[in-house]
């Protein structure tokens, strides 16, 4: 939504129906079984033994509720779901032993639902809350929390309010969340997009990200095929196949994103080039619109972005320029120009981390979601994508999941005209940004494997930076 619009009422989790009455217990058994199937699909970690446990658990639950329903028909009994343990006497991986009444989760968001970035996190938080069946007094949302001391204050207030685990969603929140983690060692703090958990050594501080570069690569394929269609239709020549990219800051996260997008496009449209400009803000509708307008005026015939407002997509719709957005579909507002959007679904991570706390298990210092975990997703394709786009996506996605395709395959790009066969990446994020980890092996750059947050920051040929902005 445009940033100057009055915020709509914030999404809230749907209340779960009351499944305690005997008349609805059979429905609940079916509902709960479907929930378990959904969890199974998300995790995809079940092997032979765990599959047997899963089926045994599902069967046991259905039998429990069926028996409870029989006893409840005459009004003498009330159905009550009890956790079912696996063969080891403990719940299977990814399942909880029940949510205590005093359990509480806190969420910190940089903006509100007017930001596509934050809306993506808000939706994931709501999905996790509903999945876990938390009541309204078991979670708190804090909106519009800046990347300053206000973030520590919000985290401390949530801890004082009894939150057992607290999530924050923006890169600039990190130092303040670390401060809170040091102050409240009994509370778990999970920070999305951060870089320091693996070096801080705090047992209660964790980072998470996803291999979104794979999603952006797939979105790049959509863009490249659209360029090919425009070339075939005589709208542009091969030499005019230039894309524009609106970035927020010249950070590794943004560099990794626009480079993977470009490589995806180049994999199907070899003549493509790309101009990149930076706004110096994660969310500024005015600046993002102006940046897109400038790119279009400079000859860019397709625009993408790593910024959080509708500024760039709206400019594209006004000019009739195809657009690939980020964090959510723009099809409703930009039906003529929206092609696709890639995004991270944070629901699997929220469920994983919360379940770890409930089960008394350690949360990974760095967690990277993937296509396989359901953390990297594409929105539906727009009406005006090129013919054969879905088939091309499906083929590339299968190759990515099989490990036969790598986004940063070093045979597909050069730097200053030369191939790259070695690169020391700054994984530990020291003050001088000194490379400390060899990131290239087996013919490709290993992104988000040595920590969850991206560290690809090579400036490859074919991409022109019109400016830089480090904040």
């Amino acid at each position: 939504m445009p940033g100057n619009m009055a915020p709509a009422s914030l999404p809230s989790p749907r209340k779960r129906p009351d499944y305690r009455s005997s008349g609805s217990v059979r429905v609940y058994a079916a509902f709960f079984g479907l929930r378990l199937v959904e969890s199974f699909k998300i995790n995809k970690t079940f092997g032979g033994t765990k599959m047997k446990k899963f089926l045994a658990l599902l069967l046991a639950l259905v039998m429990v509720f069926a028996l409870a329903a029989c006893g409840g028909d005459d009004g003498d009994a009330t159905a009550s779901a009890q956790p079912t343990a696996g063969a080891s006497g403990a719940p299977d991986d990814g399942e909880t032993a029940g949510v205590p009444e005093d359990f509480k989760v806190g969420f910190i968001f940089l903006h509100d639902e007017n930001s596509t970035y934050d809306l993506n996190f808000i939706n994931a938080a709501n999905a996790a809350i509903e999945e876990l069946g938390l009541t309204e007094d078991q979670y708190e949302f804090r909106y519009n929390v800046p990347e300053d001391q206000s973030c520590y204050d919000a985290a401390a207030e949530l801890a004082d309010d009894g939150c057992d685990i607290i999530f924050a969603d923006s890169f600039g929140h990190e130092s303040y969340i670390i401060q809170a983690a040091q102050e409240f060692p009994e509370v778990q703090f999970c920070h999305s997009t951060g870089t320091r958990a693996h070096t801080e050594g705090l047992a209660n501080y964790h980072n998470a990200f996803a291999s979104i570069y794979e999603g952006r690569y797939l979105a790049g394929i959509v863009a490249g095929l659209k360029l090919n269609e425009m070339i075939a239709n005589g709208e542009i020549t091969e030499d005019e196949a230039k894309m524009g990219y609106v970035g927020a800051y010249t950070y590794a996260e943004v560099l990794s994103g626009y480079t993977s997008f470009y490589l995806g496009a180049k994999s199907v449209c070899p003549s493509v080039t790309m101009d990149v400009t930076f706004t110096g803000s994660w969310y500024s509708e005015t600046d993002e619109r102006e940046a897109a307008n400038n790119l279009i005026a400079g000859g860019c015939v397709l625009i993408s972005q790593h910024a959080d407002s509708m500024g760039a997509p709206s400019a594209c719709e006004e000019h009739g320029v195809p657009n690939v957005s980020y964090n959510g579909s723009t099809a409703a507002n930009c039906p003529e120009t929206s092609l696709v959007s890639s995004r991270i679904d944070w629901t699997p991570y929220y469920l994983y981390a919360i379940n770890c706390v409930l089960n008394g298990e350690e949360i990974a210092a760095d967690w990277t979601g993937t296509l396989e975990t359901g953390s990297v997703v594409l929105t539906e394709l727009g009406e005006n994508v090129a013919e054969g786009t879905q088939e091309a996506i499906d083929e590339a996605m299968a190759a990515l999941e099989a490990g036969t395709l790598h986004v940063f395959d070093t045979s597909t790009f050069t730097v200053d005209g030369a191939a790259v066969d070695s690169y020391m990446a700054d994984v530990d994020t020291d003050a001088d940004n000194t490379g400390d980890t060899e990131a290239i092996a087996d013919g490709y750059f290993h992104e988000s494997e040595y920590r969850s947050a991206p560290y690809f920051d090579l400036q490859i040929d074919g991409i022109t930076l019109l400016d830089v902005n480090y904040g």
Side-chain angles (χ1 to χ4, degrees), residues 197-458:
H198 71 291
T199 56
E200 286 296 317
L202 294 172
N204 66 327
Y205 179 68
H206 320 277
N207 287 147
F209 216 100
S211 56
I212 189 58
Y213 59 92
E214 294 179 319
R216 287 193 182 275
Y217 182 90
L218 295 172
I221 291 175
V222 177
L225 291 175
K226 185 63 178 179
L227 293 173
N228 286 344
E229 180 185 75
M230 296 166 72
I231 294 169
N233 291 342
E235 299 173 42
I236 60 172
T237 66
E238 289 187 3
D239 292 340
E240 292 172 331
K242 182 169 72 168
M243 303 187 298
Y245 199 96
V246 179
Y249 296 100
T250 317
Y251 296 161
E253 176 185 342
V254 181
L255 270 68
S256 175
Y258 71 61
T259 304
S260 52
F261 173 73
Y262 171 75
L263 289 173
K266 186 181 178 184
S267 72
V268 295
C269 182
S271 66
V272 66
T273 59
M274 188 167 75
D275 287 351
V276 182
T277 187
F278 302 93
T279 63
S281 170
W282 292 117
Y283 183 95
S284 173
E285 185 172 6
T286 299
D287 291 345
E288 291 163 37
R289 179 187 293 270
E290 181 181 0
N293 284 332
N294 290 339
L295 289 168
I296 293 168
C300 294
V301 297
L302 187 149
I303 302 294
S304 190
Q305 71 188 78
H306 191 153
D308 300 341
S309 84
M310 285 290 295
S314 297
C316 289
E317 188 74 1
E318 291 171 4
H319 291 281
V321 172
N323 173 255
V324 173
S325 58
Y326 183 46
N327 281 319
S329 174
T330 59
N333 294 321
C334 307
E336 298 300 318
T337 57
S338 174
L339 298 180
V340 74
S341 175
S342 60
R343 70 179 184 89
I344 297 174
D345 185 348
W346 290 97
T347 309
Y349 179 66
Y350 286 163
L351 289 172
Y352 157 76
I354 294 170
N355 283 335
C356 282
V357 175
L358 289 169
N359 294 332
E361 299 169 353
E362 182 179 351
I363 303 172
D366 267 282
W367 185 93
T368 303
T370 63
L371 288 165
E372 186 177 12
T373 65
S375 304
V376 178
V377 297
L378 294 181
T379 63
E380 73 281 1
L381 296 176
E383 296 180 0
N384 294 314
V385 298
E387 184 177 352
T389 295
Q390 186 62 61
E391 293 78 4
I393 290 173
D394 293 342
E395 181 180 355
M397 185 178 295
L400 287 168
E401 291 191 24
T404 57
L405 172 63
H406 300 284
V407 170
F408 297 113
D409 183 333
T410 55
S411 68
T412 63
F413 65 86
T414 57
V415 174
D416 295 329
V420 181
D421 57 12
S422 177
Y423 188 74
M424 296 297 289
D426 178 23
V427 173
D428 291 343
T429 319
D430 60 87
D432 297 324
N433 298 316
T434 305
D436 50 62
T437 303
E438 175 59 64
I440 294 178
D442 305 317
Y444 67 97
F445 188 104
H446 290 248
E447 178 69 302
S448 293
E449 293 185 23
Y450 303 114
R451 76 173 188 216
S452 57
Y455 41 83
F456 182 99
D457 59 359
L458 288 163

Side-chain angles (χ1 to χ4, degrees), residues 10-71:
L10 297 177
S12 60
R14 294 190 298 273
K15 291 185 178 179
R16 304 180 81 191
D18 184 359
Y19 298 110
R20 294 172 294 179
S21 64
S22 60
S24 61
V25 70
R26 291 188 182 90
V27 177
Y28 179 56
F31 174 88
F32 197 77
L34 288 173
R35 281 298 184 193
L36 288 173
V37 172
E38 285 180 357
S39 178
F40 165 64
K41 287 180 179 178
I42 288 174
N43 286 301
K44 292 186 179 178
T45 57
F46 284 70
T49 300
K50 289 191 175 181
M51 173 60 86
K52 292 177 182 178
K53 290 183 181 179
F54 169 78
L55 293 174
L57 173 62
L58 180 56
L59 179 59
L61 284 167
V62 173
M63 290 178 67
V64 165
F65 282 102
L67 290 171
C70 293

Side-chain angles (χ1 to χ4, degrees), residues 154-176:
E157 289 168 4
L158 288 170
D160 286 336
D161 286 348
C163 289
D164 299 277
I165 182 169
I166 296 169
F167 297 92
D169 76 345
S170 187
F171 179 79
H173 286 152
E174 182 159 41
S175 60
Y176 307 102

